Amino acid sequence: MRLLTHRYLALFAMSLCLCLMGCEVRDVPNYMVAPQINHMAFSKAQESQGIMYSPEFNPTMVDRDKVDGGIIKLAHGNGRTLLLPPEGTIPRGFQPLHYPVNEAVAKKMGKVDDKGKADLVAVATAQALKAGDELVNPFKPDDETMTRGKEVFNTFCAPCHGKTGAGDGLVAKRGVGMPGYPLTTKGAKPHDYKDGHIFHIISYGRGNMGSYASQINAADRWKAILWLRKLQSTQGAK
Ligand code: HEC
């Protein structure tokens, strides 16, 4: 019993301390935990003009010659921490894809109505067909590509299209405004799409299906298509 009382007393004292720490009882600033967080200057690296280590907090980090009122201008001349890449350069490992769907392309293709409104669905379809004609799947079905393709398909496509591609994924089943789009069942349209066409759909998205370009790298997209072909051959798409 006595032990319990002591515990309550200790608890009460602790709470009181915390309360007092949180209360503003004087006009001087209260005790501050981790002041760096409050005084740090944030920036968007490629837009900002000069950044931003307060020597007060990390004196080892700065070149003191460049200290300017507590703010360091880093050395890229224009004061940027990161430079924009020169025009036309491509990040390492990034594979560009040249079938964009946007208003400029719509204008070029003449896919605009009388009021100048772009028909982006028509552009997407035209670009996907073009990709289908021009792009070839660089992979052949083998143990490695099929294993990986299945993994990618089950992770990224099955939630909507179902593990067998029958259009019965969980998202479709739960009826959250996403009708099931069968990819593999009898009469399913994608059976007639070329690999490059499906590659375009995965890369740029279509209608309610978003782009998966940032989640799935190009090689994995091609491998998922190989797995999809296998599903089609066993699900009787024809
Ligand atoms: C969030 C749900 C969702 C995911 C995940 C998803 N899709 Fe789709 N997919 C759709 C919807 C919805 C459509 C119909 C789009 C439209 O035309 O409006 C579609 C359409 C398609 C089509 C064209 C179907 C047709 O009849 O023309 C293909 C091919 C396709 N998806 C392949 C894939 C592949 C491959 C993946 C995995 C990389 C994938 N999808 C992931 C929702 C999804």
Side-chain angles (χ1 to χ4, degrees), residues 153 156-157 160-161 178 181 183 189-190 193 198 201-202 206-209 212 216:
F153 189 91
F156 292 101
C157 318
C160 293
H161 293 289
M178 191 76 73
Y181 279 85
L183 306 175
K189 282 193 255 165
Y193 297 169
I198 299 176
I201 293 177
I202 305 175
R206 212 189 78 181
N208 279 338
M209 176 177 155
Y212 285 83
I216 312 175

Side-chain angles (χ1 to χ4, degrees), residues 84-143:
L84 291 169
E87 213 165 302
T89 47
I90 295 167
R92 256 176 222 224
F94 177 79
Q95 191 179 9
L97 197 56
H98 304 291
Y99 305 91
V101 180
N102 57 40
E103 314 232 323
V105 178
K107 273 198 190 127
K108 228 190 241 168
M109 286 181 164
K111 295 197 183 299
V112 280
D113 66 13
D114 305 338
K115 289 175 195 141
K117 193 170 179 297
D119 184 349
L120 292 179
V121 175
V123 176
T125 306
Q127 292 287 59
L129 285 169
K130 191 159 172 252
D133 286 338
E134 294 174 356
L135 301 179
V136 177
N137 197 329
F139 297 99
K140 298 269 168 285
D142 59 33
D143 284 353

